Amino acid sequence: MEIQAINFEELRKYESFSSVAEMDKSIYEYIEFIRFDVPQSVIDVLLYLGRASLRCVGLSFMKQATIAKGTGYSRKTINKALKMLEAFGIVDSVRTKTKAGRPSVKIMRILPFCLELLHQRVTSYQVDEANGSIGLTLIEDFEPIIYESKKHLKEEDKQAANKDNIDDMSINELDSSFIPSTIVDKDFIQTARPFFGSAKIFKLWGIVKNVMKQAKLEAVTNDVIESVKESFKTTVFMYKADRIRSSFENYFFGVLSSMLGAAKRREVMSNGEGIFYNWLEE
């Protein structure tokens, strides 16, 4: 690649940061929020892009082969890491032009840290892994109950008196008081019950347990449950504000991943096991 062929004056219009310090701050924040959720190769590639984005702050001209050589990973791993960084909204790509106006090289641009975007960009395959691709419908969208005549109901009551009803009922017909508190935290049940039925609350808790496993959190501590409740409330609010572009469970998964990641960091720091250092100068 001939660097002199690139129109740097035009290219600086795409700069995403006003200074290297500002870029470094965003990289630190990204690492803090994703390091428990992604392979180490993703962190290493982000750090490498940061070190290679100084001439035009936030913009890297490095080819995948160069990044692979510099980090020691294979081209396949580099490609996967870049795709993951782009999926999370951490980087994007820009097609540059020469001074003559002809298409030139494609560069990677590190984007300023944005927690909301990070939540929204959680990829669908992560949600599928965590929740089995289940769909959720808010309770206000449930079909209304159609009431039958009293006479018809009395006849059905007489017939029902002579048989067990449990096999004829679905889990959706059980109210939230039937959800075992030994399986689903009672505080979460109370928080979710105005919006979802029993089956949905149970499935949402499945997301919680999977994100806890991903974050290596074993116990449902007060810190964890407060993070879970806050994540749920945030998702409900954003859903009602029509700010969620994907699905309710996708957004909940993203918010929860960040919140429980922060909870894990607090746990590690409280145990004296982790001291942050300057990642960019590794």
Side-chain angles (χ1 to χ4, degrees):
M1 178 180 66
E2 297 182 3
I3 297 296
Q4 64 270 22
I6 297 175
N7 185 348
F8 280 97
E9 184 177 346
E10 178 70 21
L11 190 60
R12 287 195 172 90
K13 295 179 181 179
Y14 297 103
E15 285 185 329
S16 44
F17 302 97
S18 59
S19 67
V20 173
E22 185 180 319
M23 177 186 71
D24 289 351
K25 182 176 183 292
S26 277
I27 292 176
Y28 294 145
E29 290 174 321
Y30 280 129
I31 290 173
E32 183 178 354
F33 274 87
I34 70 172
R35 66 193 185 98
F36 289 109
D37 307 320
V38 300
Q40 182 60 39
S41 57
V42 176
I43 303 297
D44 292 340
V45 169
L46 178 57
L47 290 170
Y48 194 86
L49 290 175
R51 290 192 290 267
S53 303
L54 303 180
R55 185 169 183 179
C56 290
V57 184
L59 305 179
S60 173
F61 305 95
M62 293 293 177
K63 295 181 179 179
Q64 290 191 22
T66 305
I67 299 174
K69 184 177 180 180
T71 59
Y73 293 107
S74 67
R75 285 282 302 275
K76 182 178 180 181
T77 300
I78 298 301
N79 183 264
K80 187 175 181 180
L82 289 173
K83 285 183 177 180
M84 186 171 289
L85 288 170
E86 195 160 6
F88 276 100
I90 297 174
V91 304
D92 68 359
S93 57
V94 177
R95 174 63 69 180
T96 62
K97 293 182 180 181
T98 64
K99 292 182 178 180
R102 294 190 297 271
S104 184
V105 296
K106 186 178 181 181
I107 62 174
M108 298 302 298
R109 174 172 60 179
I110 301 172
L111 299 173
F113 179 79
C114 176
L115 185 57
E116 181 180 343
L117 180 61
L118 198 59
H119 292 161
Q120 293 178 343
R121 291 296 187 89
V122 175
T123 54
S124 60
Y125 75 86
Q126 289 177 304
V127 177
D128 291 340
E129 284 184 346
N131 201 34
S133 300
I134 63 170
L136 300 176
T137 305
L138 283 181
I139 206 166
E140 64 182 23
D141 295 326
F142 289 174
E143 293 183 4
I145 298 173
I146 300 175
Y147 293 97
E148 303 178 62
S149 67
K150 291 182 179 180
K151 181 180 178 181
H152 184 61
L153 288 174
K154 287 181 179 179
E155 291 175 356
E156 286 193 345
D157 287 343
K158 290 179 181 178
Q159 295 175 4
N162 297 318
K163 68 173 185 177
D164 296 328
N165 293 324
I166 190 168
D167 292 329
D168 298 327
M169 298 176 67
S170 70
I171 190 172
N172 289 316
E173 295 177 83
L174 300 175
D175 67 53
S176 59
S177 66
F178 282 87
I179 304 174
S181 59
T182 55
I183 298 176
V184 181
D185 185 88
K186 62 182 181 180
D187 284 347
F188 181 72
I189 295 174
Q190 293 300 317
T191 302
R193 67 188 300 179
F195 307 97
F196 294 107
S198 298
K200 305 304 183 184
I201 294 173
F202 181 71
K203 290 178 179 179
L204 277 171
W205 189 252
I207 294 181
V208 174
K209 296 299 289 183
N210 278 282
V211 175
M212 284 182 62
K213 182 178 180 181
Q214 179 179 304
K216 296 181 174 58
L217 289 165
E218 297 180 359
V220 183
T221 62
N222 288 336
D223 191 22
V224 168
I225 196 59
E226 288 302 317
S227 296
V228 170
K229 289 160 59 179
E230 184 64 26
S231 299
F232 180 82
K233 291 177 180 178
T234 298
T235 306
V236 169
F237 179 84
M238 297 302 286
Y239 183 93
K240 299 305 296 180
D242 198 25
R243 297 290 300 278
I244 296 179
R245 297 179 182 177
S246 54
S247 63
F248 185 94
E249 70 271 23
N250 190 318
Y251 196 90
F252 178 59
F253 179 90
V255 178
L256 190 60
S257 294
S258 292
M259 294 288 285
L260 292 191
K264 179 61 179 180
R265 289 189 291 276
R266 288 192 293 270
E267 178 185 284
V268 170
M269 294 299 290
S270 67
N271 293 333
E273 299 173 5
I275 299 177
F276 293 108
Y277 52 93
N278 193 333
W279 297 85
L280 292 180
E281 295 181 1
E282 251 190 337

